[in-house]
């Protein structure tokens, strides 16, 4: 399937009064239609920053460089996603029309005083769609997120369960039929059963709708459940990227290995992982994982963190990727 979003060398730095936070470092990836790209990383690794950069919703203290192109199904190609002036973004309905997002924690941001119907009408009217049309679209969308329109449209947020609210948020994000949808921690606040149902819905959307989906999570098992590809992020750097099954069964980055190790549901690890004891002050040089890495050696302090293709379609930024894979081969067992 075709590329819908291409991101090259994305960097985001937050300027603060006292210091700069380099939140996203040279991140590149491609997203295809009908594909789910999982972005995983621990808290603070830059996941939401990537999302906000692509939405062009970063705060004013953020400095952004890099390139991103979006290929819309209407045949248009937006090459300067990261620099397009605000008025142009509006004119082409970039936000919500080309790319939309369900924000982290969004289901709690529904207005308690408004019914679901009001939410749909407000969103539609903000984009010049009239009320009647809005209600038709809303009913279709609610059905596609497996909600009963008649009942849900007249409900207030407090009358809906967490899972239902999340479905409403997803439906709202789909209102202008975007080419790309970003889901930032869509299952985090939900109980296990509801979580599973939302993931099933996301899987269905990927099949049924002509979109590319970016699924942001700190939970490796969520990615294992639904994503096609995974991008592993650590302190703003892409540590590894590739097909989910390939990355989980043959991780070429020690950081990925460590993540998998800490999720027993996904893989069983046999070898012990203890930091090698290399300490380096990673002041914007070298591998950010050096101090915690079991395989680190002194040359890692100078690593350039460029992605190396370790097998077709599978990239790692670890300079010792091949050596590590040889050492762990056969000792990592993916559960599926
Ligand atoms: P989480 O899993 O907790 O949501 P995340 O991976 O989404 O984390 P980001 O929110 O993208 O991480 O933050 C990346 C880094 O940028 C963090 O160090 C964070 O403290 C910093 N940061 C985020 N927003 C700002 C801001 N407005 N000003 C300064 N620093 C910021
Ligand atoms: Mg976040």
């Amino acid at each position: 399937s075709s590329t819908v979003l291409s991101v090259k060398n994305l960097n985001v730095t937050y300027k603060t009064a006292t210091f700069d936070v380099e939140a996203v470092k040279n991140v590149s990836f491609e997203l295809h239609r009908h594909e789910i790209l999982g972005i995983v990383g621990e808290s603070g690794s830059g996941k939401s920053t990537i999302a906000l950069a692509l939405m062009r919703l970063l705060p004013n203290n953020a400095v952004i460089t890099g390139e991103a192109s979006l290929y819309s199904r209407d045949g248009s190609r937006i090459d300067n996603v990261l620099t397009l002036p605000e008025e142009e973004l509006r004119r082409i309905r970039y936000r919500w029309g080309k790319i939309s997002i369900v924000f982290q924690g969004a289901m709690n941001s529904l207005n308690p005083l408004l019914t679901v119907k009001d939410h749909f009408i407000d969103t539609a009217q903000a984009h010049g769609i009239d009320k009647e049309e809005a209600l038709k679209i809303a009913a279709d969308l609610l059905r596609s997120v497996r909600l009963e329109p008649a009942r849900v449209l007249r409900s207030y947020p407090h009358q809906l369960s967490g899972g239902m609210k999340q479905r409403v948020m997803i439906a709202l994000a789909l209102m202008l039929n975007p080419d790309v949808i970003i889901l930032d921690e869509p299952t985090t606040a939900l109980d296990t059963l509801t979580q599973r149902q939302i993931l099933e819905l996301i899987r269905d959307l990927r099949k049924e709708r002509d979109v590319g989906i970016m699924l942001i999570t700190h939970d490796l098992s969520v990615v294992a459940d639904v994503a096609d590809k995974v991008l592993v992020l650590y302190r703003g750097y892409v540590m590894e990227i590739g097909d989910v099954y390939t990355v989980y069964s043959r991780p070429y980055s020690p950081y990925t290995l460590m993540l998998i190790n800490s999720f027993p549901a996904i893989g069983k690890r046999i070898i012990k992982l203890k930091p090698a004891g290399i300490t380096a002050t990673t002041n914007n040089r070298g591998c950010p994982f050096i101090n915690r890495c079991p395989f680190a050696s002194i040359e890692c302090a100078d690593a350039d963190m460029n992605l190396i293709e370790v097998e077709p379609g599978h990239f790692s930024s670890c300079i010792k990727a091949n050596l590590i894979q040889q050492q762990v081969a056969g000792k990592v067992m993916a559960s599926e």
Side-chain angles (χ1 to χ4, degrees), residues 14-16 19 21-24 41-50 52 59 61-62 104 184-185 216-218 233:
Y14 292 107
K15 302 270 176 195
T16 74
F19 55 90
V21 181
E22 299 197 9
V24 174
E42 53 200 62
S43 187
S45 56
K47 305 182 295 297
S48 295
T49 301
I50 293 175
L52 294 176
N61 68 328
Q104 194 164 2
D184 195 348
E185 301 280 5
I216 293 176
T217 177
H218 64 278
L233 203 63

Side-chain angles (χ1 to χ4, degrees), residues 191-208:
D191 62 73
T192 320
L193 180 64
T194 311
Q195 221 175 71
R196 221 173 297 142
Q197 291 165 344
I198 294 290
L199 293 178
E200 203 169 297
L201 169 69
I202 295 169
R203 232 182 274 131
D204 289 346
L205 290 176
R206 156 180 168 285
K207 254 187 289 168
E208 291 165 16

